[in-house]
Amino acid sequence: MRTFTIALVAAAALAAAAAGATRSPSVVAKIPVSAFAQPCATAAGGGYIWVSEYGAPTLLKIDPRTNRVVGKARIGDGSCGLGFGAGSLWVEDTSSSTISRVSARTGKRLKAIPVGATPYDATFAFGAAWTTANGGGEVDRIDAATN
């Protein structure tokens, strides 16, 4: 049995090598986004990749098929962390202590919801947006059904 297991592992390693699995990792695309702001976070949703830019009031929409910026949404200057869920992007903004709900379809900000002091990150899970509030020592949960 031991010989069969070793032979099976060796065969799998040879098949992986033949398929090119031994190539070193590499970047497949570099997408220029801004000359003056700092790309801060990414999220996938609605068929696009979204990028927040810290220091600029923009949320960028990238088409993964073309690797090009195909849209911009206006958000706060202190935005960084973001998540995708319920058809929206959820973007925290440290400068205004809010989390914005942005329509993935239109790119328009639907709401700016006040959260605890100095939000730092955001995600979406269990029907809610979640953000850390570093200044208040808390995690805030925002219900997507009511916001």
Side-chain angles (χ1 to χ4, degrees):
M1 185 66 156
R2 175 181 250 177
T3 304
F4 176 73
T5 303
I6 293 171
L8 188 59
V9 170
L14 287 172
T22 58
R23 289 184 289 186
S24 61
S26 64
V27 174
V28 297
K30 291 190 178 187
I31 304 159
V33 292
S34 178
F36 62 91
Q38 300 167 336
C40 191
T42 60
Y48 296 94
I49 301 299
W50 301 85
V51 180
S52 61
E53 290 189 297
Y54 188 80
T58 52
L59 177 65
L60 305 174
K61 182 180 183 179
I62 296 175
D63 184 334
R65 295 175 301 272
T66 63
N67 294 323
R68 296 194 185 282
V69 175
V70 296
K72 293 182 180 185
R74 188 159 181 80
I75 53 174
D77 286 339
S79 299
C80 186
L82 61 137
F84 179 85
S88 298
L89 275 295
W90 301 82
V91 188
E92 62 79 10
D93 184 352
T94 300
S95 63
S96 64
S97 292
T98 60
I99 189 164
S100 291
R101 183 174 189 168
V102 177
S103 168
R105 190 176 57 74
T106 66
K108 303 285 185 209
R109 181 167 33 181
L110 304 173
K111 289 185 178 184
I113 303 150
V115 294
T118 322
Y120 181 72
D121 202 0
T123 194
F124 189 92
F126 308 105
W130 301 75
T131 187
T132 57
N134 285 352
E138 64 193 41
V139 173
D140 294 338
R141 179 179 183 170
I142 298 99
D143 183 13
T146 58
N147 287 289

